[in-house]
Amino acid sequence: LQHHAAAMVEYMAQEEDWDRDLLLDPAWEKQQRKTFTAWCNSHLRKTGTQIENIDEDFRDGLKLMLLLEVISGERLPKPERGKMRVHKINNVNKALDFIASKGVKLVSIGAEEIVDGNAKMTLGMIWTIILRFAIQDISVEETSAKEGLLLWCQRKTAPYKNVNVQNFHISWKDGLAFNALIHRHRPELIDYEQLRKDDPVTNLNNAFEVAEKYLDIPKMLDAEDIVGTLRPDEKAIMTYVSCFYHAFSGAQKAETAANRICKVLAVNQENEHLMEDYEKLASDLLQWIERTIPWLESRSAQRTLQELQQQLEELRLYRRVHKPPRVQEKVQLEINFNTLQTKLRLSNRPAFMPSEGRMVADISAGWQRLEQAEKGYEEWLLNEIRRLERLDHLAEKFRQKASIHEGWTEGKESLLQQKDFEAASLSDIKALIRKHEAFESDLAAHQDRVEQIAAIAQELNELEYYDSPSVNARCQKICDQWDVLGSLTHSRREALEHTEKQLESIDELHLEYAKRAAPFNNWMESAMEDLQDMFIVHTIEEIQGLIAAHDQFKSTLPEADKEREAILGIQREAQRIGEQHGIKGAGSNPYTSVTPHIIGSKWERVQALVPKRDEALQEEQSKQESNERLRLQFASQANTVGPWIHTKMEEIGRISIELHGTLEDQLQQLQLYEQSIMDYRPNLELLEQQHQRIQEALVFDNRHTNYSMEHLRVGWQQLLTTSARTINELQNQILTRDAKGISQEQLQEFRASFNHFDKDHGGSLGPEEFKACLISLGYDVENDRQGDAEFQRIMSLVDPNGSGSVTFQAFLDFMSRETTDTDTADQVIASFRVLAGDKNYITAAELLRELPREQAEYCISRMAPYGGSDAGPGALDYTSFSTALYGESDL
């Protein structure tokens, strides 16, 4: 017996972490004996049986078996009524076997010790029974038994001053903790403010008497024993406190119901905040888009290149400074919307429908209109720059040709109107005729210039040149004057031919000079005009063509010099003959005004213009070579960035559908990809700088690459959006998995099933693909009336908007709902009914008493008045409020 008792003491000290010396304390044993006896009697009194001496009354096993039947509600084997020792041992063994069947370890406690009246073994057995049937099933916030009971006491006594429950011994010596437990649940029974910490006996007796009188909890402790003991017995205190817990279990249910409502309301309030944030961000972004589009669609005509360059710089500033933050806002808005919808699905709430015109699709449509307006505005600016550049070139060319022509025609009308042939000699007449023929030849040579002037003016009109009226007026004046010259020329020829019949003598030499000098003179004028002609090119090939043409022109100069020498030789020969024969006036040529001096000066002018033309062409060639280098630099970078973006898009898509690793591994891999994408941004910025230099150089085409800056910008934005959206989808899957308790194996099975039927790897299933997937998972959705109805029901859950496709997130939400439990409107209604005391309505006072103030006021402000016939003052309808939380009615 001594051996068994010592083993029992050692076991209880190890199991309960109690002091071995205290276990052997007689005062501790006295407290246990009184408490355990009272606890047993509180259960046996229903049977009319009482325990007087706990050591003796349990020796035959009869009262022990009766006690176990009462507290467990189960029938034990029929006891043996004999008085012999063997009958008693058999009865006790039946009781001990029943205790062991409830999962209780009985170390060193045998039927013989109980039958022999071993006090410590008997007390240990009773304590084991109390632990199993009165304390073990206590559960508070995922803690149970002793820890759960201690946490329950701490929660209930936390608001009371001078109470700090940390254990089940000295924390209860002053009696305030017992009184606080009673006052918390039945405040009308105790005036807590009148209790004093320095009067523990009075406090303890007050709590014991009130508990016995009003709560039907028998007095199990003596105040003097508790106060007089250095550390009260922990078992006795726990036994007595457990009676309070069970007495107040109804209030515990109310607290649980209140916690459930608080949780539901907190989720609802958070979702409302997210909805408000979405509405504000969407409204701001749409307003910015609507403000920006009119600016991008404006097409006010500008007169100068400087004004258009300023507008182009404003567009670059918009792309560089103003647009990127808005791009980020758009991506964040889509992420917030997806996160909100996921939280609503996880909390079994209806999907969020933004205000009209603020859907994600509306924002995407507005953004697309913005992109189209931006693209159109840039194309218009570049076309306007080309047009004005072309117009300036044509206008200058028109003025140059017009000035040359006007200089040539100056005085020609007066010359043609002279009557000098009336008093001229025959030789003079012949000279006048030859001179007039030379003029006609010159006039015919200038016909091409007049046509060029008219063609340039017509082109300026078609291109809407801003100074077209003055150009038209000048062109019209030239054409009118040309018609007058033609008429006067014709009249003079008729007069000279009429007179020629009466006159003879022709100076062949002068005539030959005139015939050759006039075309040569015209050639020199055309050459000077061509050498001074402005040019505009955009490629190296074009400038090389001009250089080749100029080289070809230079190759004709030796032959032209020979012609010049021949013409001057004719004039010298005429002078030589005149001097030789003494002919007066032989030095002056009556047939032409083109003197040797004019030919010489114009030839010198041509010689001087040739190197200037060489220099201008070389400068333009250097410029085009620089432009070509810019094209090559941009093309090299673009041909690297473009495929890189395409590769990253494919890699992200592949990660989103493969099943390698956990969701966290995939999320980490995607985040690494996202970081690598952000690290790659300097390459795109370098490309933007190169693109800006190309535009500043007015380079509009690039045959070295198929990638334009606009395509790369769109690709980059799509890459950022796809990365962010894929990460968000994985985060939502993690939220769903954690909230619904889905295992990694289940999640991979769901993903594998989804991917198997997602034949095009588009990330969604059509109705037929989804039906095949459900059939493979065991759902009865075959092609009959019942199967079609079930399939339509499921489609309404996974595709509430009727888009005709099922995303993996919607599929995962459906499967998680099918395999896990979530809060429902019926559960919330049942919780409110507990708080309302089983009434069909609840009052504001009850809400404020049971819920935190913020959430209680939230309910009061949204609950409709209760209209039932049993309504009391201030009755609120919690049923309609609960169904509205889950979208089953309007809040």
Side-chain angles (χ1 to χ4, degrees):
L1 290 176
Q2 291 175 351
H3 170 72
H4 289 313
M8 181 63 189
V9 168
E10 182 66 25
Y11 163 73
M12 295 173 68
Q14 291 177 357
E15 287 295 314
E16 302 300 331
D17 194 22
W18 287 339
D19 189 339
R20 184 181 295 102
D21 294 333
L22 189 58
L23 286 172
L24 304 176
D25 187 351
W28 170 85
E29 182 178 337
K30 177 183 176 183
Q31 293 176 18
Q32 277 193 22
R33 185 181 299 278
K34 179 177 177 60
T35 302
F36 291 177
T37 300
W39 184 85
C40 292
N41 286 331
S42 69
H43 292 282
L44 290 173
R45 63 185 173 184
K46 303 175 185 178
T47 66
T49 302
Q50 290 293 296
I51 302 297
E52 298 296 335
N53 187 328
I54 199 169
D55 302 335
E56 295 296 324
D57 290 351
F58 286 137
R59 293 180 63 182
D60 60 0
L62 296 176
K63 291 184 179 180
L64 177 60
M65 294 179 69
L66 180 62
L67 175 65
L68 290 173
E69 287 183 343
V70 171
I71 62 177
S72 69
E74 301 180 20
R75 296 291 296 174
L76 271 71
K78 185 176 180 179
E80 300 179 12
R81 297 294 179 177
K83 300 297 184 178
M84 298 179 64
R85 175 180 175 83
V86 65
H87 297 146
K88 297 178 181 180
I89 291 175
N90 289 338
N91 289 337
V92 174
N93 275 328
K94 291 177 182 178
L96 294 178
D97 291 340
F98 177 80
I99 296 172
S101 70
K102 299 301 180 181
V104 179
K105 294 187 298 182
L106 296 172
V107 180
S108 299
I109 298 179
E112 292 80 4
E113 286 85 357
I114 305 301
V115 172
D116 293 336
N118 187 314
K120 287 182 171 50
M121 291 298 172
T122 302
L123 290 175
M125 178 189 67
I126 299 303
W127 172 241
T128 302
I129 294 172
I130 293 171
L131 275 178
R132 172 60 184 84
F133 295 99
I135 299 176
Q136 179 174 311
D137 293 333
I138 296 174
S139 178
V140 179
E141 294 186 9
E142 299 182 359
T143 62
S144 60
K146 176 182 177 182
E147 291 77 14
L149 183 61
L150 181 62
L151 180 59
W152 178 78
C153 295
Q154 292 171 340
R155 290 281 190 272
K156 296 300 181 181
T157 60
Y160 294 86
K161 62 181 180 180
N162 297 326
V163 177
N164 183 17
V165 177
Q166 299 296 327
N167 49 56
F168 287 108
H169 38 81
I170 60 176
S171 294
W172 303 83
K173 285 189 67 175
D174 58 8
L176 292 178
F178 291 108
N179 285 277
L181 280 178
I182 298 172
H183 185 268
R184 177 62 182 270
H185 296 90
R186 297 287 300 276
E188 75 277 7
L189 299 181
I190 292 180
D191 187 358
Y192 186 85
E193 296 300 323
Q194 299 300 319
L195 301 177
R196 294 184 295 110
K197 187 175 181 64
D198 58 355
D199 191 3
V201 174
T202 300
N203 298 339
L204 290 166
N205 283 327
N206 179 67
F208 297 160
E209 291 168 3
V210 169
E212 186 174 27
K213 184 177 180 180
Y214 296 100
L215 303 178
D216 200 26
I217 299 175
K219 185 177 180 180
M220 301 181 183
L221 302 170
D222 286 330
E224 291 76 12
D225 291 344
I226 294 176
V227 174
T229 305
L230 179 63
R231 189 174 81 170
D233 176 52
E234 191 172 40
K235 293 180 182 179
I237 299 294
M238 284 181 64
T239 302
Y240 189 55
V241 172
S242 70
C243 295
F244 283 89
Y245 174 87
H246 293 292
F248 297 135
S249 60
Q252 180 68 24
K253 293 179 181 178
E255 180 178 351
T256 302
N259 289 336
R260 177 185 290 274
I261 293 173
C262 291
K263 176 183 176 183
V264 171
L265 295 178
V267 171
N268 204 63
Q269 288 172 311
E270 180 185 2
N271 291 339
E272 288 182 354
H273 290 318
L274 290 175
M275 294 175 190
E276 292 170 359
D277 293 342
Y278 173 87
E279 290 284 345
K280 183 178 183 304
L281 187 58
S283 177
D284 292 344
L285 184 57
L286 286 171
Q287 289 176 4
W288 177 80
I289 290 173
E290 294 304 322
R291 288 196 307 269
T292 306
I293 287 178
W295 169 64
L296 294 173
E297 290 179 344
S298 62
R299 298 291 187 270
S300 57
Q302 305 296 335
R303 292 188 171 188
T304 64
L305 280 172
Q306 290 76 14
E307 292 173 337
L308 284 174
Q309 289 287 359
Q310 178 61 32
Q311 286 184 297
L312 189 60
E313 183 58 34
E314 291 174 357
L315 179 62
R316 291 172 184 152
L317 179 66
Y318 156 80
R319 285 175 168 169
R320 188 172 60 254
V321 177
H322 302 295
K323 185 180 178 182
R326 299 297 181 175
V327 173
Q328 185 62 34
E329 287 181 9
K330 176 176 176 292
V331 174
Q332 189 62 43
L333 190 67
E334 295 179 357
I335 292 173
N336 291 350
F337 180 83
N338 293 334
T339 301
L340 174 59
Q341 297 294 44
T342 298
K343 289 186 176 181
L344 289 172
R345 286 192 296 269
L346 292 179
S347 59
N348 205 20
R349 302 304 198 275
F352 170 55
M353 293 297 293
S355 302
E356 185 176 359
R358 297 180 184 174
M359 295 287 291
V360 173
D362 297 324
I363 295 171
S364 297
W367 191 266
Q368 185 176 5
R369 289 194 297 112
L370 178 74
E371 295 283 0
Q372 291 173 349
E374 178 184 339
K375 181 180 180 183
Y377 186 58
E378 182 181 33
E379 291 175 352
W380 175 78
L381 282 176
L382 295 178
N383 289 333
E384 281 294 292
I385 290 174
R386 295 190 190 100
R387 187 179 68 84
L388 285 185
E389 190 176 42
R390 173 69 176 165
L391 283 175
D392 287 347
H393 170 71
L394 289 175
E396 182 60 28
K397 191 171 184 177
F398 173 83
R399 287 190 289 269
Q400 188 181 63
K401 288 184 176 294
S403 297
I404 293 173
H405 178 77
E406 289 167 349
W408 178 82
T409 59
E410 185 177 1
K412 292 296 189 292
E413 291 184 22
S414 300
L415 181 63
L416 292 172
Q417 292 172 349
Q418 290 179 357
K419 304 295 183 181
D420 52 345
F421 56 84
E422 295 179 349
S425 63
L426 181 60
S427 58
D428 292 334
I429 290 297
K430 290 186 178 291
L432 289 175
I433 291 175
R434 299 297 183 268
K435 183 177 180 180
H436 188 70
E437 291 175 349
F439 173 78
E440 287 181 329
S441 177
D442 200 9
L443 186 67
H446 279 77
Q447 176 68 34
D448 182 65
R449 182 181 291 118
V450 174
E451 292 175 355
Q452 290 178 3
I453 291 172
I456 292 172
Q458 178 63 28
E459 188 172 359
L460 288 172
N461 280 294
E462 291 174 354
L463 294 176
E464 299 178 355
Y465 182 56
Y466 76 94
D467 198 21
S468 291
S470 63
V471 170
N472 292 336
R474 190 171 183 181
C475 180
Q476 187 62 44
K477 182 179 178 181
I478 291 172
C479 291
D480 292 343
Q481 186 184 36
W482 185 256
D483 293 339
V484 171
L485 286 176
S487 178
L488 291 176
T489 300
H490 181 70
S491 299
R492 183 171 178 81
R493 166 170 278 281
E494 288 181 346
L496 289 174
E497 287 177 350
H498 178 71
T499 307
E500 183 185 15
K501 295 178 181 179
Q502 305 173 18
L503 302 173
E504 293 179 351
S505 184
I506 298 174
D507 190 345
E508 295 292 340
L509 199 55
H510 281 176
L511 183 59
E512 179 66 18
Y513 173 86
K515 287 183 177 181
R516 298 180 65 174
F520 187 72
N521 180 62
N522 189 57
W523 176 85
M524 288 191 295
E525 288 181 349
S526 297
M528 287 188 292
E529 182 179 347
D530 291 340
L531 290 172
Q532 297 177 83
D533 189 17
M534 297 179 62
F535 56 85
I536 178 170
V537 295
H538 296 95
T539 63
I540 290 181
E541 289 76 9
E542 291 178 357
I543 189 62
Q544 288 175 346
L546 290 178
I547 291 174
H550 183 61
D551 291 340
Q552 179 64 29
F553 168 76
K554 289 192 294 184
S555 67
T556 64
L557 289 179
E559 290 297 325
D561 191 40
K562 291 179 181 179
E563 178 66 12
R564 180 183 65 85
E565 288 295 335
I567 293 172
L568 294 180
I570 293 173
Q571 179 64 21
R572 288 194 295 269
E573 180 65 17
Q575 291 178 349
R576 187 188 67 77
I577 293 173
E579 292 173 357
Q580 181 179 357
H581 298 281
I583 300 174
K584 295 181 179 181
S588 61
N589 195 326
Y591 302 113
T592 181
S593 60
V594 181
T595 65
H597 175 72
I598 291 174
I599 292 176
S601 63
K602 289 185 178 181
W603 179 256
E604 291 176 357
R605 177 65 175 159
V606 169
Q607 293 291 92
L609 288 174
V610 169
K612 290 182 180 180
R613 184 71 169 185
D614 285 333
E615 182 180 355
L617 290 173
Q618 290 301 321
E619 289 178 356
E620 183 62 27
Q621 185 178 23
S622 298
K623 176 183 176 182
Q624 291 304 321
E625 289 174 349
S626 174
N627 290 347
E628 185 67 11
R629 287 193 295 272
L630 290 176
R631 290 189 184 97
L632 290 172
Q633 289 176 356
F634 178 83
S636 175
Q637 186 72 3
N639 290 335
T640 300
V641 172
W644 184 89
I645 291 176
H646 180 73
T647 300
K648 288 297 178 183
M649 288 285 286
E650 291 181 343
E651 291 175 352
I652 291 175
R654 186 167 58 253
I655 292 173
S656 66
I657 65 174
E658 290 179 349
L659 301 175
H660 299 315
T662 64
L663 289 179
E664 286 77 4
D665 295 336
Q666 297 177 34
L667 178 60
Q668 183 179 10
Q669 188 175 3
L670 278 174
Q671 288 172 340
L672 292 174
Y673 268 94
E674 185 179 43
Q675 184 59 44
S676 70
I677 292 171
M678 299 311 298
D679 293 342
Y680 200 75
R681 182 183 290 274
N683 294 281
L684 198 70
E685 293 174 350
L686 174 62
L687 204 58
E688 287 282 6
Q689 295 172 3
Q690 294 173 346
H691 179 64
Q692 181 174 349
R693 288 196 294 270
I694 284 179
Q695 288 193 322
E696 289 172 351
L698 300 179
V699 176
F700 304 114
D701 56 355
N702 194 338
R703 66 178 184 275
H704 302 296
T705 180
N706 293 325
Y707 294 101
S708 68
M709 195 64 233
E710 182 63 27
H711 293 158
L712 293 175
R713 289 193 196 103
V714 171
W716 178 257
Q717 293 301 329
Q718 288 177 344
L719 179 60
L720 292 179
T721 302
T722 301
S723 174
R725 184 182 297 113
T726 305
I727 288 175
N728 178 247
E729 289 176 355
L730 274 179
Q731 291 171 338
N732 288 338
Q733 292 175 23
I734 292 173
L735 281 176
T736 302
R737 182 199 65 191
D738 295 343
K740 301 299 184 179
I742 300 173
S743 67
Q744 183 66 30
E745 292 75 13
Q746 287 179 305
L747 197 60
Q748 288 184 346
E749 181 182 354
F750 295 159
R751 169 57 81 179
S753 298
F754 187 89
N755 288 346
H756 176 75
F757 292 97
D758 184 13
K759 301 300 183 183
D760 58 356
H761 304 296
S764 63
L765 300 179
E768 293 303 321
E769 293 175 330
F770 181 55
K771 177 181 283 189
C773 182
L774 290 176
I775 293 172
S776 72
L777 293 174
Y779 284 85
D780 185 12
V781 290
E782 297 291 345
N783 293 326
D784 54 33
R785 171 179 281 181
Q786 183 178 357
D788 290 341
E790 175 65 10
F791 180 68
Q792 292 303 321
R793 181 190 71 80
I794 296 175
M795 281 299 292
S796 68
L797 296 176
V798 298
D799 185 21
N801 296 326
S803 63
S805 63
V806 180
T807 64
F808 178 70
Q809 184 61 44
F811 174 73
L812 181 59
D813 291 342
F814 169 73
M815 295 305 297
S816 64
R817 282 198 299 270
E818 292 291 304
T819 56
T820 59
D821 184 27
T822 58
D823 292 329
T824 64
D826 291 339
Q827 291 176 332
V828 176
I829 291 172
S831 298
F832 272 117
R833 184 176 294 278
V834 172
L835 297 188
D838 207 35
K839 298 192 299 293
N840 292 326
Y841 62 87
I842 195 167
T843 65
E846 289 171 333
L847 289 170
L848 290 169
R849 184 182 70 230
E850 299 295 344
L851 301 180
R853 175 165 291 276
E854 179 184 358
Q855 296 181 334
E857 292 176 349
Y858 176 83
C859 292
I860 294 170
S861 65
R862 285 166 170 76
M863 280 188 183
Y866 177 70
S869 59
D870 56 340
L876 299 175
D877 188 354
Y878 59 77
T879 300
S880 63
F881 172 79
S882 300
T883 56
L885 287 177
Y886 291 88
E888 300 175 11
S889 64
D890 296 330
L891 190 61

